[in-house]
Amino acid sequence: MKFAWKVFLCVLLVTVVALSATTYFLTRAAFETALAQEKQKSLDRMRMLAVVVENMAAGYSFSSGEEELQGVMRSAGTGDFSSAGLYAADGRAIYGGSPADPSNVPSDELFEGAKTGISHTILEENGTYSMHMLMPVQLGVKTGTLYLAADVTAPFTLSEDMMQKAGLLTLAATLAVGALLLPVSRLLTKP
């Protein structure tokens, strides 16, 4: 192999590796930032819902029926909070979370984590990602667990889109660098 080709291939390889590494780390950083923002927004919505539910259920007493709590959740669980659910201290569903739909029932790990504060997990189903959250709430004289699911697909879609564009950009840059580098490597290696 001629020296000009060796120079050409080595420089091209270094260029491809450098561009690939740079685009990967930039894409990864953008994804992490977008996901952190989406998680924070979802957690803030969960805290807001908890305040609303606690305020509406402040008068709940031992003699009150669960119908009162179901009414609270019907009032609070609208719009952005339509996926909201409420569980008794023993894990029994008071509102939402029907066992007939397993995707709507939080896992035991989430319940365990919710004993100390907000617990959450991100699950993927059919190409969409959702963040499932649980947190303890004070329901008058009793304690319950509030559930909320939020769509967090946007950062994952952004990441996939950025990776595709980064791949095309790397390919275009490699072709451009190759086209410029070939005559330069021949010129530099001439006797």
Side-chain angles (χ1 to χ4, degrees):
M1 182 184 285
K2 287 187 173 182
F3 185 62
W5 282 105
K6 289 179 183 177
V7 169
F8 171 76
L9 290 175
C10 286
V11 171
L12 195 61
L13 179 65
V14 167
T15 303
V16 168
V17 169
L19 281 173
S20 297
T22 301
T23 56
Y24 171 78
F25 287 115
L26 287 174
T27 301
R28 189 73 190 162
F31 168 73
E32 294 294 334
T33 300
L35 184 60
Q37 290 173 345
E38 200 68 32
K39 285 169 103 176
Q40 188 59 50
K41 185 172 76 171
S42 297
L43 290 170
D44 289 345
R45 286 179 48 223
M46 177 64 154
R47 288 184 189 98
M48 185 171 65
L49 177 62
V51 168
V52 169
V53 169
E54 285 180 341
N55 285 336
M56 291 175 79
Y60 186 73
S61 66
F62 286 112
S63 61
S64 304
E66 287 185 354
E67 298 82 29
E68 184 179 330
L69 292 177
Q70 291 169 351
V72 165
M73 289 305 295
R74 274 192 294 278
S75 298
T78 60
D80 284 348
F81 305 116
S82 61
S83 64
L86 185 64
Y87 295 85
D90 61 2
R92 182 178 39 82
I94 296 173
Y95 178 84
S98 113
D101 181 11
S103 67
N104 212 13
V105 177
S107 66
D108 292 336
E109 292 85 21
L110 273 179
F111 273 110
E112 197 60 37
K115 291 178 180 176
T116 59
I118 297 179
S119 67
H120 61 84
T121 188
I122 295 177
L123 301 174
E124 186 268 335
E125 186 178 329
N126 300 327
T128 61
Y129 294 82
S130 57
M131 184 166 149
H132 299 263
M133 301 163 281
L134 279 177
M135 76 177 289
V137 288
Q138 193 63 43
L139 304 169
V141 294
K142 293 186 176 183
T143 302
T145 306
L146 189 61
Y147 167 79
L148 185 65
D151 182 32
V152 291
T153 305
F156 293 93
T157 304
L158 173 70
S159 177
E160 288 174 19
D161 186 46
M162 286 179 69
M163 283 296 212
Q164 288 175 350
K165 288 179 180 172
L168 292 174
L169 181 64
T170 300
L171 178 63
T174 301
L175 292 174
V177 167
L180 292 172
L181 187 59
L182 189 58
V184 171
S185 66
R186 285 186 180 159
L187 181 68
L188 289 175
T189 58
K190 270 187 173 181

